[in-house]
Amino acid sequence: MKHVISIDDFNIQQLERLFRLTDQIRQSPEQYASSLAGKVIATLFYEPSTRTRLSFEAAIQRLGGKVISTENARELSSAVKGERLEDTIRVVEGYSDAIVLRHYEDQAAEIAAEVAQVPVINAGSGAKEHPTQALLDLYTIYSIKGKIDGLTYVVSGDLRYGRTVHSLVKKLAHYSNVRIYGLSRPELALPQEYVEYLKQRGVSYSSCISFDDVPSTVDVIYHTRTQLERMGTNGKEIAEIIIDQQVMNRFGENTILMHPLPRNQEIAMEVDEDQRAVYFQQSRNGMYVRMALLHTLFER
């Protein structure tokens, strides 16, 4: 595995190995403290980020590597002078052993991988994909439920622009006996290409507009915020789908609530006290999953 561009870069067996390694790293982090010794990793972020950037940088340092970073390359790099992404990648790879890239354009990760001689890890490309978020999302489900197969999922909120949802449903489609409900405002429905992908994989997908349309026995609710930064002023006219304690009360004790974060008002803070709300645990898992990913990339 040279680059990590899409969740499609991983098959189920590779995911299972990655999750087992993540468990080992969580249990015995000291055994991996020199995995990246002598390595320099560049984190090149053209969009704002807290969890993804900091968890990658923490993962690198906990593995014994070093970080060079720019957190707002769109405004604080030579991009403001008109430098093409290809040129930036060719320059940065001369300073580093791998590049973690977040970019506002959908095809940025593919463009970077075409010219890079070092591994490129897609940390979010436009509205298209966010593969390492999907890795930690799947790991969180696996670690809590003990499996990913045979579960019923709700993906809710912004399904049109939410790249985390896109990566997640693409990989859920490779598991057996999975049922997915897509709950959104009509303007933010899951793009047809993903609906068709699920259909081709034989996954049952139901589009709905209310939690009343969703069985109370669902295993996982994956809620997302409206991606206003990709929608301009039109997004402000779309009413947010809110999960509060009243909504949570209609689901069983085994339903877990996930969110890739950051959140705005789409999950009420009162829900934080509900034991089924696992989004902060999900966020913490990100560092360990990314440690496992980086260790695997450089494993000799």
Side-chain angles (χ1 to χ4, degrees):
M1 184 191 307
K2 181 175 182 182
H3 303 295
V4 178
I5 304 304
S6 168
I7 195 62
D8 293 334
D9 295 332
F10 300 87
N11 59 38
I12 299 299
Q13 292 71 33
Q14 288 171 323
L15 289 178
E16 290 174 350
R17 287 196 296 270
L18 188 73
F19 295 164
R20 288 195 296 269
L21 177 58
T22 302
D23 285 339
Q24 293 168 13
I25 290 173
R26 289 181 66 180
Q27 293 163 9
S28 303
E30 69 281 354
Q31 295 184 16
Y32 299 87
S34 59
S35 291
L36 295 188
K39 302 295 184 184
V40 175
I41 314 298
T43 55
L44 189 59
F45 279 59
Y46 287 79
E47 287 186 319
S49 172
T50 301
R51 279 148 296 277
T52 303
R53 185 175 67 86
L54 292 183
S55 67
F56 260 117
E57 294 184 1
I60 293 162
Q61 294 183 63
R62 287 178 183 271
L63 292 173
K66 296 181 180 180
V67 178
I68 55 175
S69 178
T70 177
E71 64 174 300
N72 190 3
R74 191 172 189 173
E75 298 178 6
L76 300 177
S77 77
S78 292
V80 299
K81 304 175 183 177
E83 183 172 59
R84 291 162 54 91
L85 178 62
E86 294 93 329
D87 289 353
T88 300
I89 295 299
R90 288 187 175 107
V91 169
V92 173
E93 72 177 7
Y95 310 144
S96 61
D97 298 288
I99 298 171
V100 180
L101 175 68
R102 167 169 288 190
H103 204 278
Y104 48 88
E105 293 182 353
D106 288 0
Q107 305 300 324
E110 288 94 331
I111 292 170
E114 287 175 1
V115 300
Q117 300 301 308
V118 299
V120 171
I121 301 174
N122 180 3
S125 283
K128 190 176 182 183
E129 274 211 62
H130 195 344
T132 67
Q133 178 70 43
L135 293 179
L136 73 92
D137 293 339
L138 291 164
Y139 174 76
T140 299
I141 297 165
Y142 154 85
S143 64
I144 294 173
K145 295 291 187 180
K147 62 178 183 177
I148 298 172
D149 289 306
L151 300 180
T152 301
Y153 298 85
V154 178
V155 290
S156 53
D158 186 348
L159 309 185
R160 179 178 179 183
Y161 297 103
R163 59 193 174 196
T164 65
V165 169
H166 301 164
S167 291
L168 180 61
V169 298
K170 282 181 72 178
K171 191 46 63 179
L172 285 177
H174 289 258
Y175 288 88
S176 61
N177 274 337
V178 164
R179 182 176 182 88
I180 302 175
Y181 291 85
L183 192 164
S184 70
R185 306 301 183 198
E187 305 95 320
L188 299 178
L190 190 67
Q192 193 60 31
E193 64 177 290
Y194 298 102
V195 175
E196 289 298 322
Y197 186 83
L198 293 171
K199 182 178 179 180
Q200 291 168 10
R201 297 289 309 180
V203 175
S204 173
Y205 180 78
S206 302
S207 180
C208 48
I209 59 173
S210 168
F211 280 109
D212 293 333
D213 302 326
V214 175
S216 61
T217 55
V218 297
D219 297 289
V220 178
I221 301 171
Y222 189 92
H223 199 41
T224 62
R225 68 181 176 87
T226 302
Q227 306 282 304
L228 293 174
E229 65 271 27
R230 308 196 193 286
M231 301 167 62
T233 57
N234 293 335
K236 297 179 181 178
E237 302 172 2
I238 300 175
E240 195 85 71
I241 293 174
I242 306 292
I243 295 181
D244 55 18
Q245 196 60 53
Q246 184 176 355
V247 170
M248 289 301 295
N249 287 344
R250 69 177 307 276
F251 294 100
E253 62 180 10
N254 294 319
T255 299
I256 62 171
L257 174 62
M258 301 175 64
H259 191 298
L261 302 177
R263 68 170 163 186
N264 291 322
Q265 75 273 18
E266 69 276 5
I267 296 180
M269 292 186 68
E270 64 185 15
V271 177
D272 296 354
E273 303 304 317
D274 192 312
Q275 293 186 352
R276 296 169 295 174
V278 300
Y279 30 85
F280 293 117
Q281 176 183 344
Q282 177 186 351
S283 179
R284 285 193 296 273
N285 286 341
M287 181 184 71
Y288 293 107
V289 171
R290 287 166 176 138
M291 287 175 73
L293 176 63
L294 289 162
H295 174 86
T296 301
L297 278 175
F298 287 100
E299 194 173 26
R300 293 180 177 85

